[in-house]
Amino acid sequence: AKKCIILCLFVTTAYVQDLASYFKDCRMGDDKFDNCLKNALNDVRPLFKQGVPKYGIEPFDPFFAKTVRYIRGGPNANINLLLKNVYESGWTISKITDLKTDFKNNKMTYRQVFPDKQLMGEFEIAGTILGRKLNNAGTWNLTLNDYIQTTTVTRKPRQAQNGSLVYDTPIKADIRYESTKGLKMHFGDPSGQSGVMANMINQLVNNSWPVGILFLRGIIDEMVSTAFSEIFTKAFQNFPFDEVVR
């Protein structure tokens, strides 16, 4: 169980035959175990784009999400946003600065810094903001500088008939925005060109991004969390963890 939680984070980054060498010095139960894992994760960053074809684990830099829906409602706004064909890159140059395991609760949390995180895709939006109706579609791209996020990965086991715990359950990734030092965003029509309204929105977001990120962070968190929960579950449903960590 402990091995599963650990490797759900970074087996996707390297070929299985190479994994053992990255954390051969990490010993479960050791006081330096978390720090050892953090260093191992950072060491394998150059391999994020390769995946592990032997086990059906796909590359995730950039990662791809077919669709992500974001729905929010309130006194002054009701938004139904559909993001399609979303790509996010920047994982290879990211760095984990803090990592903590919690085996009792089948959980691991880590803090990650992205010098340059980029997202792009298509959108469809409908709803109302301050009484004004929204109904639009087009393309978008977003660049975030020195972006910091915290990720919590959990996998709750199920209990078999004989009372034993079985770890073939879905994996949940919960990713939360902490801060960023810069934001640039561009909206375009379905052909990628910017119209009058798109230009107005682009200028508004880019000129007041410290306020805009308060709205965007929820969308980014939900999109990445949904995508990585699916990636982790698909990749590690039947992964032979005992072959990698001993």
Side-chain angles (χ1 to χ4, degrees):
K2 296 179 180 180
K3 295 176 181 178
C4 172
I5 294 298
I6 295 166
L7 291 180
C8 285
L9 296 177
F10 56 87
V11 171
T12 54
T13 65
Y15 294 108
V16 170
Q17 59 266 32
D18 296 331
L19 284 178
S21 64
Y22 286 105
F23 33 85
K24 58 182 176 61
D25 297 326
C26 302
R27 298 288 182 269
M28 295 177 67
D30 192 315
D31 291 341
K32 298 180 180 179
F33 182 68
D34 288 354
N35 189 60
C36 184
L37 288 179
K38 180 194 72 174
N39 292 336
L41 276 165
N42 289 326
D43 287 343
V44 300
R45 285 177 298 170
L47 303 176
F48 278 17
K49 296 183 179 182
Q50 297 180 11
V52 189
K54 179 179 179 180
Y55 289 94
I57 299 174
E58 301 175 356
F60 65 87
D61 190 10
F63 86 74
F64 173 76
K66 184 65 177 176
T67 59
V68 178
R69 187 174 292 278
Y70 181 82
I71 300 175
R72 287 295 182 273
N76 298 312
N78 288 280
I79 298 172
N80 188 331
L81 174 64
L82 176 65
L83 301 178
K84 302 187 296 182
N85 300 320
V86 178
Y87 291 88
E88 183 192 21
S89 61
W91 296 86
T92 304
I93 59 173
S94 68
K95 183 177 182 179
I96 291 177
T97 58
D98 300 284
L99 183 151
K100 182 175 179 57
T101 55
D102 181 1
F103 295 130
K104 181 179 180 180
N105 295 302
N106 300 295
K107 180 172 68 173
M108 176 179 286
T109 302
Y110 63 96
R111 188 169 182 261
Q112 195 168 10
V113 178
F114 292 77
D116 183 30
K117 177 193 278 280
Q118 298 190 25
L119 302 97
M120 62 182 295
E122 304 165 27
F123 75 91
E124 295 177 4
I125 187 169
T128 58
I129 295 181
L130 299 176
R132 183 167 183 171
K133 291 185 178 181
L134 295 174
N135 189 4
N136 206 348
T139 61
W140 63 278
N141 61 67
L142 173 66
T143 299
L144 298 160
N145 303 120
D146 294 324
Y147 187 87
I148 301 176
Q149 67 183 38
T150 296
T151 300
T152 300
V153 177
T154 56
R155 189 178 203 178
K156 294 183 179 180
R158 64 178 177 85
Q159 190 169 28
Q161 291 183 348
N162 61 6
S164 63
L165 298 179
V166 181
Y167 286 84
D168 59 357
T169 48
I171 298 165
K172 181 179 179 182
D174 183 48
I175 300 175
R176 299 293 174 178
Y177 160 86
E178 281 195 23
S179 66
T180 186
K181 293 183 179 179
L183 178 155
K184 292 182 180 180
M185 191 162 195
H186 178 267
F187 289 98
D189 62 24
S191 67
Q193 302 298 314
S194 295
V196 175
M197 181 59 69
N199 279 326
M200 291 177 59
I201 296 175
N202 291 334
Q203 291 179 16
L204 177 64
V205 172
N206 293 324
N207 292 336
S208 59
W209 68 263
V211 176
I213 189 63
L214 299 178
F215 169 73
L216 293 174
R217 67 181 183 181
I219 300 174
I220 297 171
D221 288 347
E222 189 162 331
M223 175 180 63
V224 180
S225 295
T226 299
F228 269 80
S229 293
E230 294 176 358
I231 289 171
F232 286 153
T233 298
K234 179 181 177 182
F236 302 111
Q237 193 71 27
N238 299 297
F239 192 89
F241 294 100
D242 290 338
E243 294 181 12
V244 181
V245 176
R246 300 179 184 279

